[in-house]
């Protein structure tokens, strides 16, 4: 499959699923921009991808998703350099054992996993609309099934647990996808989300060694875990599909909460308030 002439922006391309996604998309001929907080690491990833695919065209731009200011500065720099964006992959994500906060003082899981892609995508929508057909891909998770959107304590100030925070953020990814899809109808910009599988990446380094090494033996490789993202970014078969959740390259049923349009609309409004504050 050729993606020659396409411009693809990916977050979290410095490790795990994102790195293998970036490698595959670059190997298909797209120009890939890694939006990364760690430029040295991103440079090593770029060189690694070029070593495996000599013709890969990769740019690195600074973006710390734990900071609204950094995201806004990134988008300004992006628009100064590029006037097109065909594929946006919101892949970066984290899990935190203890409650931490972003540079804006917002609980880190909610900030990086949900508010960051929310803001980044909103700021890039005009560029994507003028580049249409274009695709947005949000890397969610089956962990959404255990999640709820707790409007009384979105940031886990009263009670924090890793799974509550992570499940909520991944449910938010799906609700965001659905609401955005309804707003984008008629624009030729699609937005879908996915579960990559359970994948042996740094995400699980919250598990202490040697248990993390042992657990990873039973997980998918990052290459395998990247397959559904790559499929959504490149396959002509999903060109006209939007607002869906995929698993193993097929549309999958989500939790009931993830289908709740009112919940999605309320989360959207609250997210708007966060990024405006
Ligand atoms: N692994 C799984 O089994 C699994 C299952 C379901 C869903 N997912 C989802 O898949 C996505 C990718 O995760 P992964 O498993 O590949 O994990 P990973 O190897 O830990 O990669 C996470 C990526 O996110 C980036 N990131 C984290 N915080 C950031 C920040 N503040 N600013 C910019 N970038 C930041 C990391 O950058 P650095 O390199 O600078 O740390 C890294 O590139 C996540 O959204 C995760 O929720 C994973």
């Amino acid at each position: 499959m050729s993606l020659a002439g396409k411009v693809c922006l990916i977050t979290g391309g410095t490790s795990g699923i994102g790195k293998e996604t970036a490698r595959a998309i670059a190997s298909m001929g797209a120009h890939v921009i890694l939006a990364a907080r760690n430029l040295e690491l991103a440079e090593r990833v770029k060189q690694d991808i070029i070593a495996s695919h000599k013709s890969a065209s990769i740019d690195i731009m600074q973006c710390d998703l734990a900071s609204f200011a950094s995201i806004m500065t990134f988008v300004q720099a992006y628009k100064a350099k590029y006037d097109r964006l065909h594929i946006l992959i919101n892949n970066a994500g984290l899990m935190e054992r203890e409650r931490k906060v972003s540079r804006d003082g917002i609980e880190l899981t909610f900030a990086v996993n949900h508010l960051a892609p929310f803001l980044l995508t909103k700021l890039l929508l005009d560029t994507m609309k003028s580049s249409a057909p274009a695709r947005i891909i949000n890397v969610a998770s089956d962990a959404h099934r255990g999640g709820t959107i707790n409007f009384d304590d979105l940031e886990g100030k009263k009670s924090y647990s890793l799974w509550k925070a992570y499940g909520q953020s991944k449910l938010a990814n799906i609700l965001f996808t659905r609401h955005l899809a309804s707003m984008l109808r008629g624009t030729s910009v699609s937005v879908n989300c996915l579960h990559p599988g359970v994948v042996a990446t740094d995400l699980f380094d919250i598990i202490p060694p040697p248990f993390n090494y042992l657990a990873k033996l039973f997980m998918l490789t990052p290459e395998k875990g990247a397959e559904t993202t790559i499929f959504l970014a490149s396959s002509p078969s999903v060109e006209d599909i939007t607002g869906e959740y995929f698993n193993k390259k097929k549309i999958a049923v989500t939790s009931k909460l993830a289908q709740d349009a009112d919940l999605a609309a309320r989360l959207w409004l609250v997210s708007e308030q966060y990024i405006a504050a």
Side-chain angles (χ1 to χ4, degrees), residues 40 54 62 67 69 89 91 98 137-138 148 166 181-182 186-187 222 233 237 241 252 272:
E40 264 176 50
K54 298 246 167 325
Q62 167 94 54
S67 157
I89 304 178
N91 161 82
E98 307 293 332
I137 296 130
N138 297 321
T148 57
Y166 186 71
S182 67
T187 63
S237 67
I241 299 177
E272 291 271 21

Side-chain angles (χ1 to χ4, degrees), residues 20 25 27 36 41 51 61 64 67 77 86 101 103 126 130-131 155 164 166 189 192 217 229 231 235 250 254 257:
E20 296 314 318
I25 304 270
S27 79
L41 180 56
M61 295 180 75
D64 180 355
S67 157
H86 305 102
V101 294
R103 292 186 192 221
D126 51 352
S130 65
S131 311
E155 298 187 48
K164 250 203 295 198
Y166 186 71
V189 180
N192 289 293
L217 294 176
T229 308
F231 170 75
S235 174
K250 291 198 165 64
T254 60
L257 280 181

Side-chain angles (χ1 to χ4, degrees), residues 123-245:
L123 293 175
L124 289 167
L125 272 184
D126 51 352
T127 308
M128 295 200 81
K129 282 181 189 167
S130 65
S131 311
R135 301 175 182 200
I136 302 164
I137 296 130
N138 297 321
V139 181
S141 170
D142 257 7
H144 81 274
R145 297 184 192 285
T148 57
I149 305 292
N150 185 0
F151 287 107
D152 293 333
D153 190 24
L154 276 175
E155 298 187 48
K157 285 181 179 164
K158 294 181 199 158
S159 138
Y160 179 85
S161 85
L162 177 150
W163 283 111
K164 250 203 295 198
Y166 186 71
Q168 174 177 262
S169 73
K170 293 289 134 181
L171 173 59
N173 292 159
I174 303 174
L175 293 168
F176 166 56
T177 301
R178 294 237 155 100
H179 195 79
L180 183 59
S182 67
M183 291 174 71
L184 287 173
R185 287 216 191 269
T187 63
S188 294
V189 180
S190 68
V191 51
N192 289 293
C193 60
L194 69 124
H195 173 59
V198 180
V199 188
T201 69
D202 294 351
L203 193 72
F204 293 103
D205 288 349
I206 45 151
I207 305 171
F211 304 106
N212 58 347
Y213 303 120
L214 288 172
K216 284 181 185 179
L217 294 176
F218 300 94
M219 296 181 190
L220 299 177
T221 61
E223 289 85 348
K224 222 41 207 142
E227 283 182 357
T228 300
T229 308
I230 298 160
F231 170 75
L232 288 174
S234 60
S235 174
S237 67
V238 289
E239 205 161 48
D240 298 325
I241 299 177
T242 190
E244 295 291 353
Y245 176 73

